[in-house]
Amino acid sequence: MASQSQGGDQARAPSEPMQQDSEGVTHPPNNDQSSGQSIPPPETGAQQSKDTAMATEGEEQQQQQDADAPAPPESPPLPARHTPVAPGPRAARLQELYAQRLQRTLAKLGWDNFAGCYPTVARKAEGVLRQVQAQMVDKLGEKCEKEFENILYARQVVPKLNDLEGLIGAAASRRKEASQSGDPSQPIPPHLLPPDTILSAHLHPALTAHQSQLNARLQTTQSQNALLYDQVRQQREEIAALLDRLDAVVADVKGANDVLRPVVDDLATETRESLTAIEAAGGATAS
């Protein structure tokens, strides 16, 4: 029975029509329809419009959230570009001496010495080993030069050597001026100077910088005091003007009192008589 059912299925399979899409590609029939399963109906126009409106509303909310979000902080400014300092005689001689010693050191990595370390490779692949040796020498030289430049920049070797050149030149000029002026006194060697003089010489640069800062602060304070003095002077002038006006008003009041003093008694008597007459009239009316 199983074989008959299988044969019947195989017999019915070729009879099922093949489906062809709009592009002309042939597809097998839909098994869901043959198995009896229901296919969901396509969405209606109202449902599609509702979905489109919901998607549009979601996009508007996302745009609103993006607009309300705080702006990212600005990136910090780039550091100032390093300006190389022109080396003086001593700095140039130091760089020249280093370049010479570096070349002599790299010369020790010549082909003969390098091939002696790898005799088998030198015999079987001499070209490859020569290329490796040349690359190694070049990379080592570049790395040493870059490291030396970093040390010079980190330690400020070139500016300090230039400052030393300036100090030596100033000392030579002072010595020349002293010899031309005929001063027989010779400068005292530093190791023979007293401790106070050496300490003062070491503290002089720091104290000079601190003195310049204090002078700047003193000038600022003096300018602020001058402004405050002008403000106090203006306020005192205003107070004096107000006092003068007040004295004038007091004088006017005193003058009015002097004018009204002869008639004050008569006015008081008339006021009392008027009050008595008003009280009498009020009592008669009440009775």
Side-chain angles (χ1 to χ4, degrees):
M1 295 295 292
S3 60
Q4 292 179 0
S5 61
Q6 291 178 358
D9 294 339
Q10 293 176 357
R12 287 193 302 270
S15 63
E16 295 179 356
M18 302 297 289
Q19 296 180 358
Q20 187 174 6
D21 56 7
S22 60
E23 297 179 354
V25 180
T26 304
H27 300 279
N30 192 353
N31 295 329
D32 295 337
Q33 294 179 358
S34 61
S35 60
Q37 295 180 357
S38 61
I39 301 175
E43 296 182 354
T44 61
Q47 183 67 22
Q48 293 179 355
S49 301
K50 184 177 180 181
D51 295 341
T52 305
M54 293 178 63
T56 305
E57 184 178 358
E59 292 178 357
E60 292 178 354
Q61 293 179 357
Q62 183 66 25
Q63 293 178 358
Q64 185 67 23
Q65 292 178 0
D66 295 340
D68 296 338
E74 297 181 356
S75 59
L78 296 176
R81 187 175 182 180
H82 170 64
T83 303
V85 181
R90 282 178 171 77
R93 178 57 181 167
L94 175 62
Q95 294 178 354
E96 181 182 357
L97 182 62
Y98 176 77
Q100 292 177 359
R101 297 307 172 189
L102 179 60
Q103 291 298 328
R104 292 189 61 180
T105 302
L106 295 177
K108 299 296 181 67
L109 296 176
W111 168 249
D112 296 335
N113 296 333
F114 200 77
C117 297
Y118 305 97
T120 304
V121 180
R123 186 172 59 256
K124 294 182 178 181
E126 181 179 354
V128 176
L129 190 60
R130 284 184 180 274
Q131 185 178 2
V132 172
Q133 183 263 345
Q135 292 179 357
M136 183 179 295
V137 172
D138 293 341
K139 291 293 183 181
L140 184 59
E142 292 177 0
K143 188 173 183 180
C144 292
E145 290 178 358
K146 186 176 181 180
E147 188 67 22
F148 183 68
E149 292 178 358
N150 292 335
I151 293 173
L152 292 180
Y153 174 72
R155 301 294 182 179
Q156 297 293 315
V157 177
V158 176
K160 290 180 180 179
L161 288 177
N162 293 341
D163 294 341
L164 179 61
E165 293 286 347
L167 291 175
I168 293 174
S173 62
R174 287 198 303 268
R175 180 178 296 177
K176 184 177 180 180
E177 291 175 358
S179 62
Q180 291 178 356
S181 62
D183 188 4
S185 60
Q186 296 292 332
I188 302 175
H191 63 279
L192 297 179
L193 293 173
D196 295 339
T197 304
I198 298 175
L199 180 62
S200 300
H202 282 286
L203 294 178
H204 180 72
L207 293 178
T208 302
H210 191 61
Q211 184 180 6
S212 63
Q213 294 179 1
L214 291 178
N215 291 334
R217 293 175 60 183
L218 179 61
Q219 293 177 359
T220 304
T221 305
Q222 289 177 352
S223 61
Q224 292 177 355
N225 290 338
L227 294 175
L228 293 176
Y229 175 76
D230 294 337
Q231 293 179 1
V232 171
R233 182 174 54 79
Q234 293 176 1
Q235 291 176 357
R236 287 181 178 179
E237 292 177 355
E238 292 177 358
I239 292 172
L242 291 175
L243 289 176
D244 294 338
R245 293 174 59 184
L246 183 60
D247 291 339
V249 172
V250 171
D252 293 341
V253 172
K254 287 182 178 180
N257 290 335
D258 294 338
V259 172
L260 294 176
R261 187 174 289 111
V263 297
V264 168
D265 296 335
D266 297 339
L267 291 174
T269 303
E270 291 178 0
T271 302
R272 285 194 294 270
E273 291 176 356
S274 300
L275 292 174
T276 302
I278 291 172
E279 291 176 357
T285 303
S287 60

